[in-house]
Every structure is written in structure tokens, then in C-alpha cells.
Amino acid sequence: MEKRKEKRKVDMAAGRQVWRPGNMLYPLPAVMVSAADKAGNANILTVAWTGTVCSDPAMLYISVRPERYTYHMIRETGEFVVNLTTERLAYATDWCGVRSGRDVDKWKEMALTKGAADQLVYAPVILESPVNIECRVTEVKELGSHHMFLAEVAAVQVDERYMKKGGKFELNSTGLLAYSHGEYLGLGKELGKFGWSVKKRK
């Protein structure tokens, strides 16, 4: 305990601050989640608490506050779509996160287009998004302020405009949007490719 106190004093002298526990894992993807209930009412929810949990089978998660309008739709149908966002969609991404579907039609107000999912029954995709990840809920973890929806990816739709010759999808050419500490950011320039740090140089 004394050693810990001594180390803390050194850290303070070095200009470090210790904050209370909080979410400081940034940047994150800012995505628009689309869902619908069994009566056909569809909505869009902006989410940053999302990420990959498994690659085989392909699985991801989103965390949603139970009081959000879209929450009951996902609980009712067990479906949602994660729609990746771009710099062009930045305004709509923020707007859909601060307005409630109880009060406004987000599709109409943001001029976003519903598209049919390939594998889902209820949840639509957002056609303006370059990538739509169709998800089926496998488990709900009621954690506290947010409930986590663990989901298996049922299908992925991509915008053919970003398909290059040879069948490569140029995802990083879409202008992807990130969220970091209250701000929306573009991805910026490429710094390297996967494995470049250990690649043998010619």
C-alpha cells in the first residue's frame, strides 16, 4: 500500500491525473441502428457503444438505454441493423441521436431511405449507408444504464459504388465517421496496413 502511494505521488509530479472510473475508450464507430416493431413502425438510433465480439461466428453488440424509443423494437423482434456512417451522413447521425422517434419521423426529416433487409423480417436498412450489417439478437445483458444486445450477423449489404475491379470493397474510401470524446471525426490519412510493422522490406 505504501509503495502504491509513493508511485501515485510520482505520477502526480509527472503531470498525471487520476479520474473516477468512466468510459474513455475512444475513438469508436458512430453508427445508425435501424429497427422496427411488428406493427411496422421503424426508427433510427445513433449508437457509439458498439463493437465486434467474435469473428466466427460473426457477432457484434450494441448497448442501448432501455428508455430509448428503439429499445422496445429490438426487444420485441430480436432484430436490428447496424448502418455504418460517413462524413456525408454526419449531420443525420448526430440528429438521429438527439431526437426521439416518439416525436419525429427521423426517416422523413433526414431524407433517409428504408431498404429491405436480406435476412431479417422487420428491421430495415438505411440505403444511404455504405454498409448495412443485419443482426439477430442472441442474448440481452441488463448491465445498468445500458442493456447490451449480443447479436449474430445474419447478412451484410454493401454499396456497389465502392466495389473495385477484382472484387475488392474499398470501405476506407467511403469517408467513415468516428466518435471520440463528444466529437465526430473523419478517419484521416492512412498510416499503415495490417502487418506492416513486421513486413520484410525490400
Side-chain angles (χ1 to χ4, degrees), residues 27-32 46-48 50 83-95 130 171-180 183-188:
L28 296 164
V31 302
M32 289 192 287
T46 299
V47 168
T50 182
N83 304 275
L84 299 193
T85 59
T86 63
E87 293 180 28
R88 186 174 295 179
L89 290 169
Y91 184 89
T93 301
D94 183 64
W95 198 90
L171 176 61
N172 292 331
S173 297
T174 63
L176 291 171
L177 194 65
Y179 178 79
S180 183
E183 298 177 347
Y184 298 99
L185 306 168
L187 294 189

Side-chain angles (χ1 to χ4, degrees), residues 186-200:
L187 294 189
K189 66 179 181 179
E190 179 188 316
L191 301 178
K193 295 184 184 295
F194 179 76
W196 70 280
S197 63
V198 296
K199 186 177 180 180
K200 291 183 179 180

Side-chain angles (χ1 to χ4, degrees), residues 101-119:
R102 295 185 181 92
D103 307 318
V104 295
D105 183 339
K106 297 181 184 182
W107 301 89
K108 179 180 178 181
E109 295 297 327
M110 290 294 101
L112 295 172
T113 311
K114 297 175 191 173
D118 183 72
Q119 293 295 315

